Structures are given as C-alpha cells and as structure tokens.
Amino acid sequence: MNRLQSLQRTIENTYSRHNIRNVIRDDLEKSNFVSLINSSKAAIKEYIHGHYYKSKDLRINTLKQSLIIKDLITDIMIITIAQDSAQPIQAAASRLANTLNFEDMFDGVKTASELLAVVCKTNMFDIISAQQSETGSLMIKSNYKLSDETLQYIESTKYLPPMVCPPQPLTNNNESGYLTKHESVILGRDNHHEEYQALDVLNTSQNIALSLDKETLEYEEVSKKPLDTPEKISNFLRIVVSSRQVYQDLLTQGNKFFFTWKYDKRGRVYSQGYHVNIQSTSFKKALINLNQKHLITGA
Amino acid sequence: MQTFTGIEYIKIDMANQYGLDKLTWDARIEFITTNINNLDTLETNAKEPILFAKAKRAYRDATAKHKTGFIMGLDATASGIQIMACLQGCPKTAKQVNLGNTGAREDVYQVVADKMSKIVGDQLYKEDVKKPVMTTFYGSKNQPEEAFGEDTPELEAFYKTLSEMLPGAMECMQDMQKCWQPTVLEHKWTLPDGHVAKVKVLNTVDKKIEIDELDHATYTHRAYVNTPAPKGLSLAANIVHSIDGWIVREQVRKASMQGFELLTIHDSFWASPNFMNNVRQNYLDTLKEIADSSLLEDILNEITGLKGKLTKLSNNLSSTMLHSNYALS
C-alpha cells in the first residue's frame, strides 16, 4: 500500500459510522449521562417485558431477538440529542426504525414510536403534543445538548471527502471506489440490482484527477437559502466550517483528488460528495479544476 | 458546426457567466472582445460573478501562455425535448431546440411564450412558460394547470402551441406514457450500451400510528410501498432521463478515446476550452445516432413485451442536424 492509499484508509476510518458513534458516546459519557442511561435501560426493560395484545407481543418478540439495549439507547441519543432543534416524531421514529430490523416498516415505526415514548419518561427529551407544537404535529425536543465540538465533528464527518488516491476500479455493482466501503453503485436504498450497469464509465470518470482552484477559495461561500433563524445560521456556519476544513485538508494533502460516481435507477450519473462536488452551487463548481493543466490555444 | 479556438471558448464562457448565453457565438465573443479592458467591471455585474472571475483568470493565464486546469461547461438547450425530437424524428421540434440550423440561437421557452402571447392577446414571458413546458414533457398535467388555470384560454393556448411547435415531442411523450404496465412491480428496459434501467413502482401509503405509551396519541406515517399501480405518470420522465444518462456515458467514452477529460452534470458538459469543439461535435453525433435509430420502439417494446412498430415522423432527421450549431450552448 502506498502513502496515499494509507492516508485514504485513515480518512475513511475517521469518517466511518463506527467512529462517529464512538465520538458521540464519549461526549455523552463525559457529560455524565450515566443516570440518564440507567433510567432509560430500566424503562426499556419494563417495556419489553410487559404483556400486551397479540400483535404488540409479536412485535416486541421480534425486537428482542436482536436487541442490545446499550446500543439502542445510544441510537436514541444520537437521534434525539444530536439534533439541534425540535424534530417531528415521524422523522425520529423512521430513523430509529431503520436500526430495528423489522420486515414490515409500519411495525418498525410503531415500535420505534413506543420506544421513544418510553424513553421520554426519563426526561432525555420532551414529546410536544400536536395541540401544543408550533407545527401542529407531534414533535421531539431534546433536553440535553452535545458539545459544540461534537456537533461540528458530526457535521464534518457526515459525508466522505473526495479520494486522495485513485479509486479502486469497480468490477461489480457492489463497490464504491473507496478502499473500505462497499455499497451499491446505484443510488437509493431499495434500487440495487445485479443486472448490467455500465461500470466502464464510472471507472473512467473516477480516474480523472482534480484540484481545487485556490483563487476561488478567496471568495465567500454564501447560502442559497435565506438564513432567517438563528438555527439556520448556525447550521449553515457549521457546513461552511466543515467545508473549509475539507478544502484545507485537500490542499495539505497535495491538492490532487478524485470523485467517486454513482448511477441513479435510470442510469443518470452523479459525482459523490458534499463539501466538494461539481454537481453543486456556482461556488463549488468554480472550485473544481483539472489536475492536468493545459496551455489554452488560439487567439 | 462553427468551431472556435480555446481562447475564444474562454470568451464564450465569460459571456455565458455574464448572462449572455442566448446570443450567437459570434455576438458573445464580440461582446467580450469589445470589453476586454473592462473585465473587472463586467465581473461585478455578472450573473455568475465567481464563475466569471474564474474564466477571466483563465483568459489572463492563456494570453500569458501559462498552463491552467480551468474547465468550462456548455449546457444542452432543452435536452429532454432534444431527445424526444430525435426519438420521434421530428424536424419541427428539432428546429426549436437547436438541432436544425436557423442561424440563430433558438430559445424554445421564449418562442412558446411569444406564440402563446399572440393567441391569448396578452404578454407572457419565458419565465411563465418554462416550468409548465418542462414538466409537460415529463408527463405532468397538474403543473400547466397550476400555471395557467383549469379550462382557461391560456391553458388551451399552451397545449395548442406545444402541439403546433413541438408535435414530435408531444407524440413521443404520449407514446411513452401509454406504455405504463398496471400489473408489474417494476418497469425495466435496456439502453444501447446494455445498461439496464429498473424503476420500481412505488405507491404512497399513509397509516395512522397510535402510541399506547403516549396516552394513545396518534400521527400519520407515510411510506412508499412497492406494489403495482393501475396508472402512472412517471414513465416518460424516467425513459428520457435514462436516455440522457446514456448520452452522458457516450460523451465520457468518446472523450476518453479522444484523449481529453470530461466532467458531466447531466446535460452540462465540462472540459478544458481546448476540447470544447470535440464536446459539441460528440454531443451532436450522439443525438444524430438517436435520430437514425429505433431506440424509442426498442425501449417501448421491452417495457410492454410486445413487438410493435413505431412510425417516426421522418427517417432523415440526422441529415438536417449536420450543421446544428447550438445543441450545446
């Protein structure tokens, strides 16, 4: 493995979900959430050992089959405490349901909603009734807050930056180009299939070496949407800060990088990435140069 | 097809970023040449100042004989309608979306607005018609109704204008929509390079969730479930997008064979200015291939499982596209 591949592996590990969970868990432990975690554990145990009507007993049996209560509490904390503002219960329940492995999505969402209601009694977060909420629907609002450093870290690691070494050649529909990440070449959770996808074009595109345009970095990145609330301003600033960090890292690493590309279900092609991506705002488009320079001809 | 030097393409890019992408190539180059000593002033008034500034720096690098990694983009002029014109072999549609050579840089949305204005006797602007036109060709009936009202003279004028000016595109869209399969879980078809497009049929299902542990509070959860649907409006958009995906793949392959690097944003093609003649010619060649092919018939037969024959409006559209100048602009 050469130096750039080794660096790339380090970057991918830093951005991995496992690592992010550990950082959040560390922050939660530092914040002395032990009693909150213990009372959540007790509430969940009481819930899963209860006896209800037949279909609910069945759902809870399904839940118990793969349940690790400690992980479940971490997931609930990530979903609720790591949010800066109130969120609809639908959103929180959907995210939690994704971790519960139910075959029927409505069973998953219903069970997740019940779990949220159970843990709410520990005062980790409030569930605001539809009558009392500004949106007219059930909302969840955390009573705790992660540190600003951790919130910035979560923002910074949401999306992998472009690769600093040439991506791995794609040979089947379950590869990404990244060294440690295997995922479908087709975007969208349920769109993967094994029929022929034109990997030759993804391989050609991902081999184009690119550079940041340093002069464009002197311009200010502005929001396309109006920043009319303090939350929107702080969210946008976090994105700008994390983007600037990615730009700085790419420059330090030699200012040569590669996009990975994916198809949608129809075969439209999308460059991957959030902080650096040509399929983005004018500012981000202007940031992209070819690494290979040309003398422009003519008069 | 008119060709230009790399430096002329930088001027074209500057003019585009300034907001003059609807002018002829010559007028765009002339505008920048005339203002070559005022580029800093132009930058402050540009529609896209950051991209203008970047092109300005590339111009200065080029004239100073410094190498640059600068790339510029040219966009298809209504790619969906261009594709439909070629699939159906329709010279009338092709002419409106710069696949003929009228000598001008056509703007289909402006032409629709002008024609509708004449019919209804009231001034309509391209901003009024752009979204309804685009969404009509992706199968929407709601959007034009939202824009012009239900059963209004404006709506009637809108459809009359589209049928007269873009008849092949209208026919193409209707042919595609008719192929919706009411009993399938997915529609599947193959593009000319063997790439398979597979689109699941998803239906919206709303279900009330009652939370016993929250005093039986309820909320509605919306999910998308993969079940057959008797009707659907998404087939035209999905087929056209699958074809624009194939067009992109062809451009990447051609660029690679010709030894230059191409980045794509769907129907926008980005490369060093030195290669923009290739970019434009390659794009036009691929559209000509579509015009000479039976691609629509092949795709619709695969979706329906039938062996139907689709008669195109003409079989020689590609010959009238030889000198198209603004397919990308």
Side-chain angles (χ1 to χ4, degrees):
Chain A
M1 194 191 305
N2 67 28
R3 185 185 64 83
L4 286 175
Q5 284 173 327
S6 167
L7 174 62
Q8 180 60 36
R9 271 185 186 274
T10 308
I11 294 167
E12 289 178 29
N13 288 336
T14 309
Y15 281 73
S16 71
R17 288 178 68 81
H18 179 71
N19 195 48
I20 296 167
R21 280 172 71 96
N22 285 346
V23 171
I24 294 173
R25 191 174 280 179
D26 284 353
D27 189 311
L28 294 174
E29 279 170 13
K30 261 189 272 168
S31 310
N32 204 12
F33 282 128
V34 178
S35 65
L36 190 60
I37 291 170
N38 286 339
S39 51
S40 299
K41 212 181 277 179
I44 291 171
K45 275 186 180 165
E46 191 188 331
Y47 166 73
I48 59 172
H49 290 123
H51 290 288
Y52 310 93
Y53 46 92
K54 196 177 166 192
S55 64
K56 186 163 177 172
D57 287 339
L58 274 173
R59 279 192 290 110
I60 289 175
N61 270 336
T62 306
L63 174 72
K64 281 197 276 191
Q65 281 166 20
S66 59
L67 183 65
I68 301 169
I69 293 182
K70 196 179 164 198
D71 285 351
L72 174 63
I73 294 169
T74 306
D75 284 329
I76 292 174
M77 285 179 146
I78 289 172
I79 289 166
T80 57
I81 300 180
Q83 282 286 320
D84 230 5
S85 51
Q87 59 179 318
I89 195 167
Q90 286 96 322
S94 291
R95 284 182 65 194
L96 186 58
N98 285 339
T99 69
L100 300 182
N101 296 325
F102 275 88
E103 234 173 69
D104 182 301
M105 76 175 78
F106 289 111
D107 280 351
V109 166
K110 190 168 167 69
T111 309
S113 303
E114 289 169 355
L115 283 163
L116 288 170
V118 163
V119 174
C120 175
K121 289 172 189 157
T122 67
N123 209 27
M124 186 189 293
F125 48 82
D126 289 333
I127 297 180
I128 306 163
S129 70
Q131 292 80 8
Q132 287 176 327
S133 91
E134 282 177 19
T135 59
S137 53
L138 284 171
M139 300 291 284
I140 287 188
K141 188 162 176 39
S142 173
N143 290 323
Y144 295 85
K145 194 175 180 298
L146 290 173
S147 67
D148 284 344
E149 293 78 27
T150 303
L151 285 171
Q152 181 63 60
Y153 178 83
I154 293 168
E155 180 57 47
S156 303
T157 49
K158 255 188 201 164
Y159 306 95
L160 264 167
M163 293 184 69
V164 294
C165 65
Q168 295 276 72
L170 306 175
T171 58
N172 65 61
N173 293 0
N174 251 319
E175 291 175 324
S176 70
Y178 283 97
L179 306 185
T180 61
K181 223 170 103 169
H182 294 276
E183 55 185 27
S184 179
V185 297
I186 309 165
L187 292 164
R189 218 172 58 158
D190 299 322
N191 291 328
H192 179 78
H193 60 80
E194 290 295 339
E195 295 202 50
Y196 179 73
Q197 298 290 285
L199 302 181
D200 63 316
V201 168
L202 300 184
N203 281 325
T204 301
S205 298
Q206 72 180 19
N207 270 326
I208 298 177
L210 303 164
S211 293
L212 290 179
D213 185 70
K214 290 180 192 167
E215 283 86 357
T216 295
L217 285 172
E218 288 164 19
Y219 288 80
E220 198 181 330
E221 203 159 352
V222 288
S223 172
K224 284 205 292 192
K225 294 174 190 163
L227 301 176
D228 46 14
T229 67
E231 276 165 2
K232 285 182 189 171
I233 293 170
S234 68
N235 285 341
F236 175 70
L237 287 177
R238 265 205 294 275
I239 292 167
V240 171
V241 169
S242 59
S243 293
R244 288 275 161 187
Q245 186 58 55
V246 171
Y247 308 150
Q248 190 52 52
D249 289 346
L250 288 171
L251 292 175
T252 310
Q253 290 149 0
N255 198 15
K256 182 176 180 181
F257 59 85
F258 303 83
F259 287 142
T260 58
W261 299 72
K262 285 182 190 287
Y263 288 120
D264 74 4
K265 58 194 172 189
R266 290 85 51 94
R268 288 191 123 194
V269 68
Y270 295 79
S271 50
Q272 299 301 290
Y274 180 69
H275 304 103
V276 182
N277 193 336
I278 192 164
Q279 297 183 342
S280 185
T281 60
S282 297
F283 176 85
K284 289 191 189 291
K285 280 190 185 87
L287 271 182
I288 307 299
N289 279 341
L290 296 176
N291 184 261
Q292 187 192 0
K293 293 185 172 181
H294 296 271
L295 185 62
I296 307 298
T297 53
Chain B
M1 190 187 82
Q2 223 178 332
T3 58
F4 304 97
T5 66
I7 288 183
E8 285 171 328
Y9 273 117
I10 300 181
K11 289 183 179 178
I12 287 168
D13 189 47
M14 274 193 273
N16 285 358
Q17 304 310 341
Y18 189 76
L20 301 177
D21 60 313
K22 305 294 185 294
L23 297 185
T24 62
W25 299 120
D26 290 338
R28 284 180 242 183
I29 292 170
E30 177 62 25
F31 173 79
I32 295 298
T33 304
T34 308
N35 288 286
I36 207 74
N37 296 320
N38 301 317
L39 295 181
D40 294 339
T41 314
L42 290 189
E43 182 185 327
T44 56
N45 297 318
K47 190 175 164 198
E48 294 288 354
I50 296 177
L51 287 162
F52 183 96
K54 190 181 177 193
K56 182 188 76 178
R57 290 194 303 276
Y59 175 78
R60 289 175 180 164
D61 280 340
T63 50
K65 306 285 183 209
H66 294 153
K67 286 185 170 183
T68 173
F70 173 76
I71 48 172
M72 61 173 281
L74 290 177
D75 301 351
T77 46
S79 72
I81 302 175
Q82 287 179 335
I83 290 168
M84 289 177 168
C86 295
L87 288 172
Q88 204 74 14
C90 178
K92 269 192 178 178
T93 305
K95 185 182 151 201
Q96 300 299 344
V97 287
N98 296 298
L99 297 181
N101 187 9
T102 60
R105 194 293 200 187
E106 302 296 340
D107 181 352
V108 64
Y109 305 112
Q110 186 63 57
V111 180
V112 169
D114 291 345
K115 181 150 176 121
M116 278 183 70
S117 300
K118 273 188 194 156
I119 297 173
V120 298
D122 198 4
Q123 182 67 51
L124 283 153
Y125 299 94
K126 64 181 278 191
E127 292 75 21
D128 301 324
V129 306
K130 186 170 180 178
K131 202 168 173 192
V133 171
M134 286 172 73
T135 52
T136 292
F137 289 110
Y138 290 141
S140 172
K141 289 187 174 160
N142 288 345
Q143 227 297 320
E145 274 185 14
E146 268 174 39
F148 303 118
E150 220 174 313
D151 296 327
T152 60
E154 286 81 4
L155 188 66
E156 199 181 319
F158 175 73
Y159 284 119
K160 183 174 162 40
T161 303
L162 295 193
S163 299
E164 284 178 13
M165 290 178 49
L166 309 168
M170 285 297 276
E171 205 174 303
C172 183
M173 186 267 294
Q174 285 154 2
D175 286 346
M176 291 190 271
Q177 294 296 67
K178 276 188 242 163
C179 291
W180 181 268
Q181 301 297 294
T183 59
V184 301
L185 287 170
E186 65 186 23
H187 292 92
K188 179 181 131 180
W189 60 97
T190 310
L191 282 301
D193 59 354
H195 186 103
V196 174
K198 239 184 192 187
V199 182
K200 286 185 177 169
V201 179
L202 294 176
N203 291 292
T204 309
V205 176
D206 288 336
K207 199 165 175 178
K208 193 189 259 187
I209 303 288
E210 182 176 347
I211 312 169
D212 305 335
E213 290 73 8
L214 202 65
D215 289 335
H216 301 276
T218 61
Y219 72 88
T220 303
H221 183 79
R222 169 163 288 191
Y224 298 93
V225 182
N226 183 205
T227 49
K231 285 179 187 169
L233 293 175
S234 57
L235 209 45
N238 285 330
I239 292 172
V240 171
H241 280 149
S242 76
I243 295 171
D244 90 19
W246 170 70
I247 291 171
V248 164
R249 295 196 292 279
E250 285 297 282
Q251 305 322 294
V252 172
R253 291 181 181 117
K254 287 178 184 188
S256 177
M257 281 170 61
Q258 292 164 7
F260 70 93
E261 295 170 311
L262 180 76
L263 297 178
T264 57
I265 312 174
H266 309 311
D267 57 356
S268 180
F269 299 91
W270 293 64
S272 162
N274 284 350
F275 300 103
M276 292 317 284
N277 287 328
N278 300 56
V279 170
R280 288 171 55 221
Q281 188 64 55
N282 291 344
Y283 181 75
L284 189 56
D285 289 345
T286 305
L287 289 188
K288 278 158 54 189
E289 265 181 64
I290 297 176
D292 286 335
S293 74
S294 55
L295 181 56
L296 182 59
E297 183 181 295
D298 298 343
I299 288 175
L300 298 186
N301 278 340
E302 188 177 351
I303 289 172
T304 58
L306 301 172
K307 287 189 176 167
K309 184 82 194 141
L310 195 139
T311 308
K312 291 161 72 168
L313 293 174
S314 80
N315 288 314
N316 63 347
L317 179 65
S318 68
S319 63
T320 65
M321 292 163 62
L322 283 178
H323 303 291
S324 303
N325 217 359
Y326 298 98
L328 298 181
S329 178

